[in-house]
Amino acid sequence: MDAIFQALSDGTRRQMLRDLATGDRTVSELAAPHPMSLAAASKHIRVLENAGLIRREIEGRTHRCHLEAAPLAAAHSELSFYEQFWTSSLNELDRLLREDAAQEKQAAISSRPAAHKDD
């Protein structure tokens, strides 16, 4: 699990995984959007491979990478424990925002001048 989170700790590697989620890519295709050399991209890919997040197939001189989603599911499962803290914090924020909006609405109603009726 540590290798997975270490691999996911880098934004470049997370983007590479997002790219792979839409289909297989070569090392060159994974490197293209990033300002780095192919050697640097290969190092990132090796970290992803070592974490089991991708599988690389060699076809002649072309290295094609495939996403391996199972380790991501394990990471999600590990993180789901903490969801209870996010959910309660978001629920509290929602409650506070609703209270604030209700107070602002009440203040706006209270500060309106009384309507005058023409006789």
Side-chain angles (χ1 to χ4, degrees):
M1 192 60 59
D2 290 343
I4 294 168
F5 287 117
Q6 191 272 328
L8 294 173
S9 71
D10 182 84
T12 299
R13 291 191 288 267
R14 289 191 306 272
Q15 185 58 53
M16 287 178 169
L17 290 174
R18 281 186 206 101
D19 292 343
L20 287 170
T22 62
D24 298 347
R25 300 279 193 288
T26 65
V27 171
S28 297
E29 290 169 337
L30 286 174
H34 307 283
M36 67 176 65
S37 66
L38 279 178
S42 289
K43 287 181 183 180
H44 283 292
I45 290 167
R46 262 194 303 282
V47 170
L48 293 169
E49 273 184 298
N50 291 338
L53 295 168
I54 67 170
R55 179 175 38 88
R56 186 183 340 199
E57 291 180 0
I58 301 172
E59 302 164 354
R61 294 181 54 140
T62 303
H63 292 224
R64 185 162 295 282
C65 300
H66 312 274
L67 178 66
E68 293 291 333
L72 290 172
H76 180 268
S77 177
E78 183 77 19
L79 289 173
S80 66
F81 167 78
Y82 299 100
E83 186 176 3
Q84 63 185 323
F85 302 109
W86 303 324
T87 302
S88 65
S89 295
L90 290 173
N91 287 341
E92 180 64 12
L93 177 61
D94 181 56
R95 184 187 67 75
L96 291 170
L97 289 171
R98 287 176 190 270
E99 282 179 10
D100 190 47
Q103 288 173 356
E104 286 180 12
K105 183 178 180 180
Q106 186 60 42
I109 291 170
S110 298
S111 67
R112 286 187 197 155
H116 296 288
K117 231 180 174 182
D118 290 334
D119 291 312

